[in-house]
Amino acid sequence: MKTLKIAIQKSGRLNEKSVELLKNCGLNFENYKSSLISPVSNFPLEILFLRDDDIPEYVQDGIADLGIVGENVIQETEVEVSYLQKLGFGKCSLKIAVPNNNSITALEQLNGKAIATTYPVILGKYLAEKNITSDIRTISGSVEISPGLGLSDAICDLVSTGGTLKSNGLVPFADVMSSEAVLIGQKGSENDDLVQELIQRIQSVLRAKETKYVVLNVERKNLNAVTALLPGVKSPSVVPLAEGDWVAVHTVIPERDFWDRISQLKQAGAQGIVVMPIEKIIL
Ligand code: PRT
Ligand code: ZN
């Protein structure tokens, strides 16, 4: 039987979440820091641990069938791969930032200015689209210190909390792209049954993460008011309680409007609300 290969980051910001996602998909594998390849014992899959920069090309060239990597790296390496699934972690944005004592307020003022970055391809396309001609200086790291050293007038780098920019006296000036970790596959791999099976497992884990399982008690006379607030996977389950007029309602609600929903439910007469994490939702 065919064995798939999935490439994930060996160490760094995406490693832990990538391993966690695959483990939550029920895949059994060892995660030794020293290993470069780890077989999965209960699915025809091998995990390759690589530098993130190498992952897009490995997938494009078929050395790995699948990969988990930031969209920023995929776009910078300009590979031909299929985007299979956004994964909701590793979120950041690629921004142009300038020193906070700088007078640059409009994009056109970047004409003729030096911008240091590790993302020359993405930045080059962005500036070309805006008809701006800057001097793009490609450096391999610590981009944020280059204006202070007099090496550039601006930088273009990834930002998540903004702390690095701030502590280097820089302010974000323009959003070039937003990025998150994605599952990519070799072109056409989406038609493979095993790949489909894995995508479905990943989707069931992601869906579960976005929702909470809620059990609550309500008096029958308030049931309609309470169920009107509950979406459920289809509709909520209603279970009679031993005590006469009361029922227990079981349902799932989206994590994002969780606290709003809970207070609305209480107002509508819900009591004894128990909220639990969900492991998987298989539709
Ligand atoms: O060793 P390897 O080559 O595999 O890893 P790497 O060092 O190239 O990448 P790594 O582990 O730093 O990041 C992997 C991926 O995480 C990136 O390609 C992005 O898709 C994603 N990601 C999410 C980030 C950030 N957030 C991020 N904040 N990657 C880098 N940063 C850096 C940024 O470059 C800057 O130096 O963090 C600093 C800014 O962070 P804040 O929080 O101060 O804004
Ligand atoms: Zn890297």
Side-chain angles (χ1 to χ4, degrees), residues 10 29-38 49:
K10 182 170 172 53
F29 59 94
E30 299 293 349
N31 181 29
Y32 297 128
K33 283 276 166 260
S34 57
S35 56
L36 291 176
I37 184 159
S38 190
F49 297 93

Side-chain angles (χ1 to χ4, degrees), residues 244-262:
D245 289 341
W246 284 76
V247 290
V249 177
H250 294 233
T251 192
V252 295
I253 63 176
E255 165 108 75
R256 58 178 183 281
D257 51 20
F258 175 70
W259 286 109
D260 283 349
R261 283 290 163 95
I262 293 294

Side-chain angles (χ1 to χ4, degrees), residues 8-15 50-55 69-74 89-94 118-119 140-144 156-167 179-181:
I8 67 171
Q9 194 188 25
K10 182 170 172 53
S11 62
R13 288 168 194 265
L14 303 184
N15 166 269
L50 302 173
R51 288 278 314 268
D52 68 346
D53 315 71
D54 297 332
I55 293 175
V69 67
E71 289 171 283
N72 51 307
V73 180
I74 305 167
F89 61 86
K91 288 190 177 172
C92 54
S93 27
L94 187 64
T118 50
Y119 292 93
S140 59
S142 304
V143 173
E144 65 279 358
C156 174
D157 198 14
L158 295 175
V159 178
S160 48
T161 62
T164 305
L165 291 186
K166 207 168 178 194
S167 61
S179 174
E180 67 181 86

